Amino acid sequence: MQLTNITLVPSVLFPDAMQHICSIARILSQPRGSAMLVGVGGCGKQTLARFAAFIAGVRCFQMQATRGYGRAEFWEDLRKVYHMCGVEEREVAFLLTDSQITSEVFLEDVSNILSSGEVPGMFADEERNKLLEDARTSLMAQGIPDLPGPLWTAFVERVRAKLHMVLCMSPIGDSFRLRCRQLPALVNCCTINWFSDWPAEALLSVSMRQLEGIDLCKGPMVAALARLSVEVHASVVLAADQFFQQLQRRFYITPKSFLDLLSMFASMLGEQHAELTGSRERLVNGLTKLQDTNAAVDVMQQQLNALQPTLQQKTASAEQLLAQVTQESKEAEDIQATVAEEEKTVGRQTAETAVLKDDAQQELNQVLPALEAAQKALNALNKNDIIEIKTFTKPPALVQLTMEGVCILLQEEADWATAKRVLGQPKFIERLMAYDADNIPDAVLEALQRVVADARFTADQVAKQSNAARSMCLWVRALDVYGRMVKVVEPKRQALHQAEAALAEVEAKLAAKRSQLREVVEKVQSLKEQLAGTQTELASLQQQYSLSQKRLVRASKLISALGDEAGRWGVSADTLATRLQLLIGDVFLAAACISYVGPLTGTYRDDLVSGWAQRCQELHVPVSTPFTLQATLATPMSIREWSLQGLPSDSVSMDNAILVTHGRRWPLMIDPQCQANKWVKGMEGKVGLRVCKPGDPTLMRTLESCIRLGHPFLVEEMGGSLEPQLLPLLEGSVTSQGHRRFIRLGASDVDYDANFKLYMTTKLANPHYLPEVCITTNLINFTVTQEGLEAQLLREVVAQERGELEEAKERLLLSLTADTRQLQDLQDRILKLLKESEGNILDDEVLINTLNNSKLTAGKQVLPSSVKHKQQS
């Protein structure tokens, strides 16, 4: 069961499609409105039915047939629909297609629903009661009595009013006629809507819309290709009728094939353009690198010649500077030794001077406190104290003694009159404070002894008579002590001054030597820097010279390795440029071949393709002359590989292989002689091919395993119809959810591996597949051709008569294929390395060696390969 969700589908609406949509929407808008859409598969019945249901506001319901899907499962889906219509009161469109009718009893049940609204025996009593219980409230709200009979009748009427059957039927074959005759309710209770072939105007509008979105097709080319696509479709329809009339082989062309042509052309054009452009860019890049290398050889030789004298000059300059630096460095070392010796001498004298200084300072430190105390006492004196002493007419004895001491120190007369005169001087205190205690004459110190020797001359005794005289007493006694101590220390101080003078002289000499050393060192450093610059420049020149020599060697290797490739690459680049110019027409015809010509034989294919190519030229669509499918989508190496894998070597079989490998739909191969079966097994046997037949009970399990693991899967001996469980796979119903891709098969979701491949073969010589099969598979006719049969018979005769020749040919083919693949791989590798190289290619030694080794390997294969070509021919 599947409830379709709203999805965005690119669509082009033309008048006929809009008429069908309006008609179906009008049918679904009416109570009990059901429709039978009759038309070949691929004409848009399901798409338009879903579109019309969306417009009418009706929920679209579609069953999903799986293996083992029978009447019980069908009834289960019908019960869900009854619940939605009768209980949930939803409008539901039940969409049923030909391919989903795996049993005719399904249509019998649909006929019963259309005629009476009930399917006999579908609901058990419990299920019926459950439905009535769920719908009882809404039914009784309409005035229905609360009785089982009336309630059930009203429930069925509600379902009939809200359930809309939409049957998508194909008029092809006898099934449709028999069903309409046996089940008249299908005709009587449904509005029949016939879907005829799309008119040319519809095809043209669709193609115009699709082609306008292709970047490589612009302007008049869009109109030309749109017209050409309509003509191609019409020509294939006509060829299919002739094919049936002449050979009684039937296949169907539907609008789905036309849409596949347009989508395939768009995707193939982008892929081919990207591939050819990339290949040509690699070739042009390789040619450019070779041309640049050839042009650089002469330039590098000139550079080497110009570098030679400069290199010699720089070498001589560097040697001269090196000798000068060596000499100057030796002088600096000598001066540094002298400075070190003098530094030792200065160190010793500094230590001796420090001892003298410390000794003198230690003795001075003993009297300095007394001198500082005297200074403090003087600081305490002021004018009032001086005035106090001056007021004495006859001073006390100790005051007078103190002033005599002061006068003696000041070298004045030691009497009171002189003392008063001295005290009267304006700057008496400043004179005392500025007294030179370090240079007191010896006579003064001797005269002063008379004062200081007096036992009464102490600060405490003097203070009793005059506090002002106390400070001067302290000062006199301190200067006496300090003056006598200075006389003792003075010789030591003289010695200290002499030592300091000698030390200063030595230090001056040392400073001169240090200055000289600094100048020499700076000179040496400057020379070293100059030498380093010269050596750097010399190294740069030597490196440049060496690099140019290496580049010349590498250039010779590159030219010798790839020089002969330039011509071949140039021809290949021109060929690719021509193919790019003709790409639109070639890809369009290739897409047309893949979409349409698979069921036809070789003669019909050739006639169609030649006619299409002629119309391309008439419509000014660029195309190769002559056009061949093999030249556009195959390579000689792939063709040889297919031959080795068991495919006949005729052109029809090779084209069939291209249709199989490049088709967008999974191939269904008409293979009465089992040629395709053998080829598929030879091609995919080494990568885990699994083989099943339609009736195998393990088919679905094996298929799911292959889808999940990415293994190829071959269904052989297909009958005249497809297995229903393959439909989701054939329709490409792959869903992406984040990084996960999966496909729904039956009731389970199977992870989808992108490497999975599906092949189908049938032994039926002339199968009649309905349009539904033709639009979901790539139907390809692998019936043996005259040319292929002759080649196979010749091979058998040679194998019987000259078996060694056939074995030799097989070995040569294998060897030729391997050599060709190796040569192609080597060329791709060389071009890839050249493209990925950055900067100057001659600087990449690894790249040059790799290219040289690759070319040497390729050179060993060229001659044998050419011999094998001749032997094979």
Side-chain angles (χ1 to χ4, degrees):
M1 182 270 290
Q2 180 181 3
L3 288 174
T4 59
N5 297 319
I6 299 174
T7 56
L8 298 177
V9 179
S11 301
V12 179
L13 294 180
F14 47 88
D16 285 6
M18 289 187 286
Q19 290 178 5
H20 287 299
I21 292 172
C22 293
S23 177
I24 299 170
R26 186 168 56 251
I27 294 170
L28 297 179
S29 300
Q30 298 174 0
R32 300 190 184 184
S34 295
M36 179 185 293
L37 311 182
V38 183
V40 296
C43 62
K45 298 189 297 295
Q46 294 188 56
T47 301
L48 296 184
R50 293 191 183 97
F51 195 2
F54 173 74
I55 293 177
V58 177
R59 190 71 176 271
C60 189
F61 182 98
Q62 190 171 12
M63 55 176 275
Q64 187 172 3
T66 59
R67 186 174 183 84
Y69 189 92
R71 193 174 193 183
E73 290 76 15
F74 184 66
W75 277 7
E76 183 62 30
D77 286 339
L78 287 179
R79 293 188 189 101
K80 295 176 183 178
V81 172
Y82 266 64
H83 188 274
M84 285 190 290
C85 294
V87 177
E88 301 175 12
E89 299 188 58
R90 294 185 181 182
E91 298 280 344
V92 177
F94 191 98
L95 185 60
L96 185 64
T97 65
D98 269 340
S99 59
Q100 295 172 335
I101 303 175
T102 58
S103 175
E104 293 300 320
V105 296
F106 293 177
L107 284 180
E108 293 180 9
D109 294 338
V110 171
S111 177
N112 289 328
I113 293 173
L114 291 172
S115 59
S116 63
E118 295 186 70
V119 178
M122 187 174 69
F123 290 105
D125 291 339
E126 294 180 358
E127 294 173 338
R128 177 182 294 188
N129 293 335
K130 181 65 170 60
L131 288 175
L132 292 180
E133 184 64 28
D134 293 338
R136 184 183 304 277
T137 302
S138 60
L139 290 174
M140 291 180 64
Q142 298 176 1
I144 307 300
D146 188 10
L147 297 173
L151 287 176
W152 180 250
T153 301
F155 178 83
V156 172
E157 289 300 320
R158 176 185 289 178
V159 171
R160 293 185 69 185
K162 294 185 176 296
L163 177 59
H164 309 278
M165 305 301 298
V166 181
L167 307 178
C168 298
M169 312 293 285
S170 173
I172 305 300
D174 298 332
S175 298
F176 178 68
R177 184 177 65 254
L178 293 175
R179 290 167 178 172
C180 291
R181 187 176 60 194
Q182 295 173 359
L183 303 170
L186 299 180
V187 178
N188 296 334
C189 300
C190 292
T191 301
I192 300 178
N193 193 330
W194 283 88
F195 282 71
S196 58
D197 293 338
W198 287 10
E201 294 79 6
L203 298 176
L204 185 62
S205 63
V206 170
S207 59
M208 287 289 292
R209 179 64 177 274
Q210 295 283 351
L211 295 172
E212 287 174 352
I214 302 177
D215 295 335
L216 299 176
C217 298
K218 298 297 181 183
M221 188 60 63
V222 174
L225 289 175
R227 183 177 175 184
L228 181 62
S229 62
V230 175
E231 294 180 3
V232 166
H233 184 79
S235 66
V236 178
V237 172
L238 181 60
D241 293 338
Q242 295 176 354
F243 193 58
F244 175 71
Q245 293 173 6
Q246 295 176 6
L247 301 178
Q248 297 301 307
R249 303 177 71 92
R250 172 68 75 181
F251 73 99
Y252 298 95
I253 302 299
T254 69
K256 180 66 165 56
S257 303
F258 182 75
L259 296 176
D260 289 344
L261 164 64
L262 298 178
S263 62
M264 186 179 300
F265 169 68
S267 60
M268 287 180 58
L269 182 62
E271 294 170 1
Q272 289 289 314
H273 184 270
E275 180 181 351
L276 295 180
T277 302
S279 299
R280 185 175 182 277
E281 287 178 352
R282 287 193 295 271
L283 289 170
V284 172
N285 178 74
L287 286 172
T288 303
K289 293 292 178 67
L290 290 179
Q291 293 171 358
D292 293 344
T293 302
N294 289 328
V297 169
D298 295 335
V299 176
M300 287 187 292
Q301 189 62 54
Q302 294 175 2
Q303 291 177 347
L304 285 177
N305 296 333
L307 283 175
Q308 188 68 33
T310 305
L311 191 62
Q312 294 175 353
Q313 179 184 356
K314 289 295 180 181
T315 303
S317 300
E319 292 175 353
Q320 182 179 357
L321 281 174
L322 181 61
Q324 186 176 357
V325 168
T326 303
Q327 180 180 356
E328 295 290 343
S329 298
K330 187 176 183 305
E331 294 179 2
E333 290 175 358
D334 295 340
I335 295 175
Q336 188 172 9
T338 303
V339 169
E341 189 65 28
E342 292 184 358
E343 284 179 346
K344 292 180 181 179
T345 302
V346 169
R348 289 195 301 271
Q349 291 182 356
T350 301
E352 293 173 355
T353 303
V355 171
L356 291 175
K357 184 177 181 180
D358 292 341
D359 187 19
Q361 188 66 33
Q362 184 175 6
E363 294 185 2
L364 285 175
N365 289 340
Q366 295 177 1
V367 295
L368 283 178
L371 183 62
E372 291 177 356
Q375 289 294 119
K376 289 182 180 179
L378 290 177
N379 290 335
L381 287 176
N382 53 42
K383 291 182 179 181
N384 294 329
D385 296 332
I386 301 301
I387 294 172
E388 177 186 347
I389 297 175
K390 286 171 61 177
T391 56
F392 289 117
T393 303
K394 186 178 181 179
L398 293 179
V399 172
Q400 183 173 353
L401 184 62
T402 300
M403 292 306 300
E404 288 177 357
V406 172
C407 290
I408 292 171
L409 288 173
L410 295 177
Q411 299 182 21
E412 298 284 351
E413 292 294 332
D415 54 28
W416 179 246
T418 303
K420 290 181 68 175
R421 180 176 57 82
V422 171
L423 289 171
Q425 292 178 354
K427 296 183 178 180
F428 171 70
I429 297 176
E430 288 81 354
R431 187 178 178 185
L432 297 182
M433 294 183 68
Y435 189 84
D436 186 8
D438 293 331
N439 298 303
I440 302 174
D442 295 338
V444 173
L445 290 175
E446 291 177 1
L448 188 62
Q449 295 304 313
R450 178 182 62 80
V451 176
V452 298
D454 193 331
R456 298 173 301 164
F457 190 66
T458 63
D460 293 337
Q461 293 296 328
V462 174
K464 292 178 180 180
Q465 295 181 3
S466 174
N467 191 45
R470 177 182 178 277
S471 297
M472 285 185 284
C473 175
L474 290 174
W475 181 71
V476 170
R477 294 191 69 85
L479 286 182
D480 175 66
V481 175
Y482 184 79
R484 287 185 284 104
M485 186 61 67
V486 166
K487 299 300 181 180
V488 178
V489 175
E490 186 61 25
K492 295 181 179 180
R493 294 177 69 178
Q494 293 296 329
L496 175 62
H497 290 325
Q498 293 176 359
E500 288 178 344
L503 178 61
E505 183 179 358
V506 174
E507 286 180 344
K509 293 180 180 179
L510 177 61
K513 287 292 183 180
R514 285 177 175 174
S515 176
Q516 183 181 1
L517 176 62
R518 183 167 55 253
E519 291 176 357
V520 174
V521 169
E522 289 176 355
K523 183 178 180 181
V524 172
Q525 183 63 29
S526 176
L527 289 174
K528 285 183 177 180
E529 292 177 356
Q530 186 177 356
L531 176 61
T534 303
Q535 289 177 336
T536 302
E537 188 177 356
L538 177 61
S540 177
L541 291 174
Q542 290 175 341
Q543 182 181 3
Q544 187 177 356
Y545 188 82
S546 175
L547 179 61
S548 297
Q549 286 183 325
K550 293 179 180 179
R551 283 179 176 178
L552 280 176
V553 174
R554 294 167 187 164
S556 63
K557 287 184 179 180
L558 183 63
I559 293 173
S560 63
L562 302 179
D564 56 341
E565 296 290 334
R568 189 168 61 85
W569 288 356
V571 173
S572 299
D574 294 339
T575 302
L576 290 176
T578 303
R579 288 187 62 185
L580 283 170
Q581 294 176 355
L582 305 175
L583 184 64
I584 292 178
D586 290 348
V587 171
F588 183 85
L589 293 187
C593 290
I594 295 174
S595 300
Y596 288 113
V597 304
L600 297 172
T601 58
T603 304
Y604 284 86
R605 295 182 183 181
D606 294 340
D607 292 342
L608 283 174
V609 173
S610 61
W612 298 341
Q614 183 177 355
R615 284 299 294 157
C616 283
Q617 296 175 355
E618 294 172 357
L619 294 173
H620 303 290
V621 176
V623 67
S624 298
T625 305
F627 168 81
T628 60
L629 191 60
Q630 298 179 34
T632 304
L633 297 180
T635 62
M637 184 173 62
S638 61
I639 291 175
R640 280 193 293 270
E641 288 180 347
W642 292 336
S643 297
L644 291 173
Q645 290 161 356
L647 187 69
S649 58
D650 59 287
S651 60
V652 175
S653 298
M654 293 301 168
D655 288 346
N656 286 340
I658 295 174
L659 300 183
V660 170
T661 54
H662 288 79
R664 298 301 189 266
R665 298 193 298 265
W666 298 123
L668 173 55
M669 294 165 275
I670 303 172
D671 187 31
Q673 290 84 27
C674 296
Q675 295 184 129
N677 200 292
K678 176 183 177 183
W679 170 60
V680 170
K681 291 180 179 179
M683 178 174 59
E684 303 288 1
K686 296 180 180 180
V687 291
L689 176 69
R690 303 292 181 87
V691 182
C692 283
K693 296 181 180 179
D696 288 350
T698 60
L699 185 143
M700 284 305 296
R701 185 167 61 253
T702 306
L703 176 61
E704 292 179 3
S705 174
C706 290
I707 294 174
R708 189 176 293 108
L709 300 177
H711 292 160
F713 184 65
L714 171 62
V715 184
E716 58 184 7
E717 298 184 15
M718 293 285 291
S721 61
L722 297 179
E723 291 291 312
Q725 57 269 30
L726 294 178
L727 288 179
L729 191 59
L730 298 177
E731 293 173 354
S733 304
V734 180
T735 304
S736 296
Q737 191 173 32
H739 296 290
R740 181 193 177 200
R741 300 181 71 214
F742 61 91
I743 186 170
R744 188 168 186 81
L745 295 180
S748 60
D749 293 333
V750 180
D751 289 335
Y752 188 89
D753 191 293
N755 296 318
F756 169 75
K757 296 178 183 178
L758 174 64
Y759 302 93
M760 295 169 286
T761 62
T762 178
K763 289 185 177 181
L764 299 177
N766 186 14
H768 180 196
Y769 287 113
L770 297 179
E772 288 73 16
V773 177
C774 295
I775 65 174
T776 54
T777 64
N778 190 11
L779 193 60
I780 304 174
N781 190 351
F782 265 86
T783 304
V784 65
T785 62
Q786 181 75 20
E787 181 183 357
L789 183 60
E790 290 177 356
Q792 293 180 59
L793 291 176
L794 178 60
R795 184 185 306 147
E796 293 296 330
V797 171
V798 172
Q800 292 293 331
E801 299 294 332
R802 299 286 302 275
E804 68 280 2
L805 289 179
E806 185 64 23
E807 293 177 0
K809 180 182 178 181
E810 292 293 332
R811 288 196 301 270
L812 287 175
L813 279 175
L814 287 172
S815 179
L816 177 60
T817 302
D819 292 346
T820 304
R821 183 185 297 108
Q822 185 177 6
L823 285 172
Q824 185 63 43
D825 293 342
L826 288 173
Q827 175 177 304
D828 292 342
R829 183 184 181 189
I830 291 172
L831 293 175
K832 182 175 181 292
L833 291 173
L834 289 174
K835 184 177 181 180
E836 293 177 350
S837 64
E838 298 179 357
N840 194 331
I841 188 176
L842 298 178
D843 293 336
D844 195 339
E845 185 174 2
V846 176
L847 172 63
I848 298 298
N849 293 333
T850 303
L851 294 176
N852 191 42
N853 295 335
S854 299
K855 185 56 185 174
L856 290 176
T857 304
K860 296 178 182 179
Q861 303 293 340
V862 171
L863 183 59
S865 296
S866 63
V867 173
K868 293 170 187 175
H869 274 295
K870 295 178 182 179
Q871 290 177 344
Q872 185 183 19
S873 61

